[in-house]
Amino acid sequence: MDNAPDTPYPRRRKPLNVRFFYGWVVVATTFTASLMAAGIRAAPQTFVRPLEAEFGWGRGAINAAVSLNLVLYGAIGPFAGRVQDRRGPRVVMLVALTLLAVGAGATAFINRLWEFLLVWGLIVGTGAGGISSVLAASVAHRWFVRHRGVVLGLLNSAGSTGQLIFIPVVLGMVVAWGWRVAAMTLSSLAVVAFLLVWWLMRSDPADVGEEALGESEANAAAAARPGGMAPVTTTTVRDALRTRTFWLLAAGYAICGGTSNGLIGANMIPHALDIGISHQVASITVGIMAGLNFVGTMGAGWLCDRMDPRKVLAWIYGLRAVSLFILPSVTGPAGMFVFAVIYGLDWFATVPPVVAIAGNTFGKNSVGSIYGLIFLAHQLGGAAMAQGSGIAYDVFGDYVPSFLTGAVLAVLAAGMSLAIAKDPPVRLAPPQPGLAAT
């Protein structure tokens, strides 16, 4: 008979009580939808030369549709932000993706300039406005207190990642099969994103029985402070418009839009082709910019969790000024790649510090509405620069005056960032539950 073991069998370990936070599913869903929307919105720069060749339209006329798109992309921001503050991001995303699918699909059937203005300027511009950095701000502030800066960086990097993936692919499709096939493909992607959002997206942690990540710790820390003063949660739009912080953020962001969407976003590929850069090198350049922008945007979000976001914003604008001063002297692939590295690091990196300043100043329950207005300034600046650079090209034959103007404006924006007050200028009592900013 076998002897009993000298030691008892080891006790079975209890399973780890690990609770998965659904906010990360929301982040993944928002990132994917934003990535696809960014790829659709950036597509016109791959259509410029084919539209010129097929219809004889000038750059100024084509950029008019891009400008209208940018204006609406920003103008929808305050409205979309207000709906997000009241109803949540999910409904806004579904409507926006429907418009993107319809607009991109209808583009394949246009034959006149006014049709291009209608479908790409009006319909796609309106849809794009529902999936912008306003959406990222709303999602990050609803679902996260801890890691909010990193989440903002991740969600806003979707714009550059979308271009990294889709611009080279769309450009290749335009060359191989034509711009109409490319437009229909983009429409199909919007439908896929719609189905994903319908299935997985939730607007608020309460929808799944949770609270924002880190909210309990933040409330406990606020209660432990002298006087127990809670951070501001709501500011009315009227009160925000009376602050110096709002106008400095808006003015700097208008320059940001002008030097990103309006100048580089609308003209980068046409400029590269004009100076003899091949389609392949132009695509690689955009890919480098987008890849480095992921690093820059994530880095900016990480820094905003650890240091003064005003200083982060000023450094980003300064880096953009350097890249735009360099661009006029670029004549070949090597110089274009150098520009792509420097510019890529600051492309969308302004969003985390701007949203952080807006959220800290005006409160999480108002960030959609108030940041939406700041984002409107961004897009108005982008539209003005897109239209102005197109006209300047028709007059001067190149984009050099526009690039140098953008560089000077970026230096001005860096100064505006440092002029923002460090402490929030408004300290309002938290609102009653269920009330939104007006």
Side-chain angles (χ1 to χ4, degrees):
M1 180 174 179
D2 295 336
N3 294 328
D6 295 334
T7 58
Y9 290 106
R11 293 182 180 179
R12 181 176 298 174
R13 292 183 180 180
K14 294 181 179 180
L16 294 176
N17 185 20
V18 178
R19 185 180 179 186
F20 179 74
F21 180 54
Y22 195 81
W24 296 116
V25 176
V26 171
V27 168
T29 304
T30 305
F31 180 90
T32 303
S34 300
L35 180 146
M36 293 186 180
I40 294 170
R41 187 174 57 83
Q45 60 180 302
T46 67
F47 296 167
V48 170
R49 289 170 71 92
L51 292 174
E52 281 183 321
E54 184 168 340
F55 300 114
W57 300 338
R59 297 279 174 93
I62 295 171
N63 276 7
V66 176
S67 297
L68 178 58
N69 182 294
L70 292 175
V71 168
L72 288 172
Y73 182 55
I76 295 301
F79 174 75
R82 187 176 180 85
V83 175
Q84 288 168 23
D85 287 341
R86 292 176 176 269
R87 300 285 303 276
R90 184 174 182 268
V91 64
V92 175
M93 294 173 71
L94 292 173
V95 173
L97 288 166
T98 299
L99 291 173
L100 288 173
V102 171
T107 302
F109 302 96
I110 67 167
N111 290 293
R112 296 176 177 83
L113 180 60
W114 71 265
E115 294 172 341
F116 185 57
L117 290 168
L118 173 65
V119 298
W120 208 270
L122 181 61
I123 299 176
V124 173
T126 301
I131 304 183
S132 65
S133 56
V134 180
L135 172 66
S138 181
V139 169
H141 280 80
R142 280 172 174 265
W143 286 87
F144 294 87
V145 175
R146 188 167 68 247
H147 306 314
R148 182 181 289 163
V150 171
V151 170
L152 282 169
L154 177 63
L155 292 181
N156 285 287
S157 70
S160 62
T161 306
Q163 296 186 59
L164 170 65
I165 294 173
F166 290 114
I167 290 298
V169 173
V170 173
L171 188 59
M173 292 178 65
V174 169
V175 173
W177 299 301
W179 61 274
R180 297 182 189 272
V181 172
M184 287 301 299
T185 303
L186 293 172
S187 179
S188 301
L189 291 174
V191 173
V192 172
F194 177 95
L195 296 174
L196 185 68
V197 170
W198 180 271
W199 179 34
L200 295 175
M201 186 67 189
R202 300 293 181 270
S203 290
D204 195 86
D207 295 340
V208 291
E210 296 183 344
E211 65 176 18
L213 186 64
E215 184 174 11
S216 296
E217 296 92 327
N219 290 339
R225 287 198 298 265
M229 183 117 181
V232 65
T233 59
T234 299
T235 304
T236 65
V237 170
R238 180 179 299 178
D239 286 337
L241 292 175
R242 293 172 179 168
T243 66
R244 185 165 176 256
T245 296
F246 175 87
W247 292 107
L248 286 171
L249 281 174
Y253 225 30
I255 294 173
C256 176
T259 53
S260 58
N261 294 344
L263 186 58
I264 300 302
N267 301 307
M268 180 65 208
I269 288 181
H271 170 71
L273 298 178
D274 286 346
I275 63 174
I277 302 295
S278 67
H279 283 85
Q280 291 77 12
V281 172
S283 297
I284 294 171
T285 299
V286 173
I288 292 173
M289 289 166 56
L292 268 295
N293 181 63
F294 182 85
V295 175
T297 306
M298 290 295 295
W302 183 85
L303 288 172
C304 287
D305 283 336
R306 290 162 174 80
M307 63 180 289
D308 188 345
R310 302 174 308 148
K311 295 179 180 179
V312 177
L313 187 59
W315 275 104
I316 292 168
Y317 283 136
L319 195 63
R320 182 168 300 178
V322 170
S323 66
L324 292 175
F325 276 125
I326 290 174
L327 187 55
S329 63
V330 171
T331 58
M336 192 63 71
F337 294 157
V338 171
F339 163 78
V341 169
I342 300 174
Y343 187 88
L345 288 171
D346 65 72
W347 195 356
F348 283 71
T350 56
V351 181
V354 169
V355 173
I357 295 169
N360 293 341
T361 302
F362 304 115
K364 69 175 184 178
N365 292 338
S366 304
V367 72
S369 302
I370 295 172
Y371 176 70
L373 288 173
I374 297 171
F375 184 68
L376 172 59
H378 181 281
Q379 296 309 111
L380 290 175
M385 184 64 85
Q387 189 64 55
S389 61
I391 294 173
Y393 179 89
D394 291 339
V395 173
F396 298 106
D398 59 42
Y399 294 107
V400 171
S402 299
F403 293 147
L404 295 177
T405 299
V408 173
L409 290 174
V411 173
L412 180 61
M416 291 178 180
S417 303
L418 295 176
I420 295 171
K422 183 176 182 180
D423 296 322
V426 288
R427 302 297 299 178
L428 304 181
Q432 298 177 7
L435 294 183
T438 57

